[in-house]
Amino acid sequence: MKLKSIETFSSRDICFVRVTDSDGAQGWGMTAPFEADITAQILHRIAAGIALEPFGDYTTVADEIIRRQYKYLGSFLARAAAGIDTALWDLTAKKKGVSVAEMAGKKRDYIDLYASSMKRDLPVQEEADRLRAIQDKFGYRAIKLHPGIPVGRDKDFWENRTEDMVVAMVKTAKPDTHIIVDVNGNYSVERAVEMAKFLHSHGIKLFEEPCPYWEIEKTKAVRDACVEIGIPVAGGEQDYIDTMWERMLDRRVMDVCQPDLLYIGGFSRALRIARHAAGKGLQVTPHTSNRSPILVMGLHFMACIDTPYPFLECGIEDDLWAVSCYEPQVEIKDGRAAVPTAPGWGFEPAKEFLAKSRYNISK
């Protein structure tokens, strides 16, 4: 395949990528949200030239970008590679007349979702009531709480807020709700093990990212302790370096793997992680914490992997930047969503967003 051009349409939060091949066929992808205008600059400066070279296998382009820019490794480079990779998946699937999920080996038509709250400092009962109302409206059978201060060195927004939040949510949620607690790397090993015992005693189903993600030995120590306690540990959303993932999976640093499809460098690279995880008997569910098109991509991903966690993350906040930039929106009913069946990803950027975005092209 030979690309004729790579275009970006960016704001600070969103960057859509459009690739056009030598036949004139086009595909849409996106880089990771947030500081996306910076990612667009990096895409054109140090990633696009590699992707514009002829290639035989579109799933290797992101790897080639990252390998050949070894002096500039970092999250922004992986985010830029993801924009190109996801656009290539869309282009290829559209040329074949199938959805991305079908092209990747679709196994499921519907995906169960968990309602993911991004509020960390609301009064506990107010937050619990808010989440129960969302459960009642959309039928969610699973919820994720984000209590505590991200990478907060064992600190909470106020004393015992996390414990009080868990107790309030357990009492307020529908019976048998599957509750996940994500502390965004807040804890030391000692505090994490203490909290794991508390969470398990209150029926919490999953303990996510207990320690800072780069301290994998500490996460490993927590996970080993949690085996005895009886609560599984999740992690991996921030990681994008292959050898780090291999090390985490081979050493079983977590029980549930959570690659972010766009932080990691794209759909191709995330699928490789899912295959490796399945070989180790680990479950997988991607990090999809907002309702931008990453949620659509997450549905395709969960439809085709071998060892999915029972639920996919779905952000519940009213973030207009995430939902106004594309169409059609994901419809949630009875706590689940259908995997798109249209050719490609099954979404298109909103014309209003494109008209207001910052435009650039490499060719």
Side-chain angles (χ1 to χ4, degrees):
M1 182 185 293
K2 180 72 171 68
L3 294 182
K4 183 168 64 175
S5 65
I6 303 172
E7 301 164 277
T8 56
F9 304 78
S10 63
S11 67
R12 182 164 182 171
D13 293 319
I14 292 288
C15 175
F16 287 114
V17 180
R18 181 167 64 188
V19 296
T20 303
D21 71 9
S22 55
D23 297 326
Q26 295 184 323
W28 285 103
M30 68 178 291
T31 72
F34 311 118
E35 310 303 345
D37 53 340
I38 297 176
T39 306
Q41 294 179 55
I42 292 169
L43 187 153
H44 290 287
R45 180 72 61 85
I46 63 175
I50 297 169
L52 286 167
E53 297 176 4
F55 53 86
D57 182 354
Y58 68 95
T59 68
T60 65
V61 173
D63 284 339
E64 190 67 13
I65 289 169
I66 291 171
R67 288 185 184 126
R68 284 172 54 183
Q69 292 294 349
Y70 71 101
K71 285 186 177 292
Y72 300 98
L73 273 179
S75 175
F76 276 109
L77 179 62
R79 289 164 180 243
I84 295 171
D85 174 83
T86 52
L88 289 172
W89 273 89
D90 188 59
L91 181 151
T92 306
K94 284 176 176 174
K95 291 184 76 168
K96 293 184 177 182
V98 299
S99 71
V100 167
E102 289 173 302
M103 194 166 66
K106 183 179 178 182
K107 300 173 177 66
R108 300 163 200 93
D109 295 320
Y110 291 88
I111 305 299
D112 291 317
L113 307 172
Y114 66 80
S116 185
S117 167
M118 294 296 125
K119 301 294 186 183
R120 295 176 171 88
D121 56 356
L122 286 178
V124 294
Q125 195 57 52
E126 179 181 337
E127 171 73 326
D129 290 341
R130 182 177 84 107
L131 283 161
R132 175 57 192 265
I134 288 171
Q135 266 196 296
D136 291 339
K137 182 176 180 179
F138 293 104
Y140 290 110
R141 296 184 292 109
I143 286 172
K144 181 159 82 175
L145 302 174
H146 280 91
I149 300 173
V151 200
R153 299 184 176 90
D154 292 336
K155 295 180 181 179
D156 216 333
F157 279 94
W158 57 83
E159 189 174 359
N160 292 324
R161 182 186 183 277
T162 295
E163 292 89 336
D164 293 344
M165 185 70 253
V166 168
V167 171
M169 194 70 254
V170 170
K171 290 181 178 179
T172 305
K174 288 183 177 182
D176 300 319
T177 295
H178 187 106
I179 300 177
I180 302 164
V181 172
D182 179 2
V183 297
N184 294 111
N186 189 12
Y187 295 148
S188 62
V189 172
E190 294 75 18
R191 176 61 173 152
V193 172
E194 177 186 2
M195 182 57 68
K197 294 175 182 177
F198 169 82
L199 297 177
H200 180 258
S201 71
H202 286 79
I204 302 306
K205 301 300 184 184
L206 188 63
F207 187 15
E208 182 175 338
E209 203 175 13
C211 303
Y213 71 89
W214 57 85
E215 296 179 342
I216 67 169
E217 299 302 332
K218 293 182 179 179
T219 302
K220 168 67 173 169
V222 173
R223 188 263 164 187
D224 288 348
C226 284
V227 171
E228 301 300 322
I229 295 168
I231 184 170
V233 169
E237 71 180 59
Q238 308 292 347
D239 293 282
Y240 59 91
I241 297 175
D242 289 345
T243 52
M244 187 67 77
W245 265 108
E246 291 168 6
R247 185 180 179 193
M248 291 191 300
L249 296 176
D250 291 344
R251 298 197 62 209
R252 208 178 182 98
V253 170
M254 75 281 282
D255 304 286
V256 179
C257 309
Q258 299 173 305
D260 185 297
L261 308 181
L262 302 180
Y263 293 173
I264 201 172
F267 198 71
S268 302
R269 291 165 61 82
L271 284 177
R272 184 166 66 236
I273 295 303
R275 288 192 292 269
H276 191 158
K280 298 295 180 180
L282 305 177
Q283 291 183 310
V284 180
T285 186
H287 174 245
T288 51
S289 60
N290 58 73
R291 287 181 291 137
S292 73
I294 193 173
L295 177 60
V296 180
M297 296 177 181
L299 292 171
H300 287 270
F301 185 78
M302 288 289 278
C304 65
I305 61 176
D306 290 327
T307 55
Y309 190 69
F311 302 96
L312 170 69
E313 184 173 25
C314 181
I316 62 170
E317 311 308 337
D318 293 325
D319 295 322
L320 290 178
W321 65 267
V323 298
S324 64
C325 65
Y326 75 104
E327 53 193 22
Q329 297 295 307
V330 174
E331 182 179 355
I332 303 166
K333 185 177 181 181
D334 297 328
R336 57 185 357 209
V339 180
T341 57
W345 294 116
F347 75 84
E348 294 286 332
K351 293 180 180 178
E352 294 80 4
F353 175 87
L354 296 179
K356 295 178 181 179
S357 65
R358 181 177 299 175
Y359 177 76
N360 204 347
I361 184 170
S362 292
K363 54 184 180 180

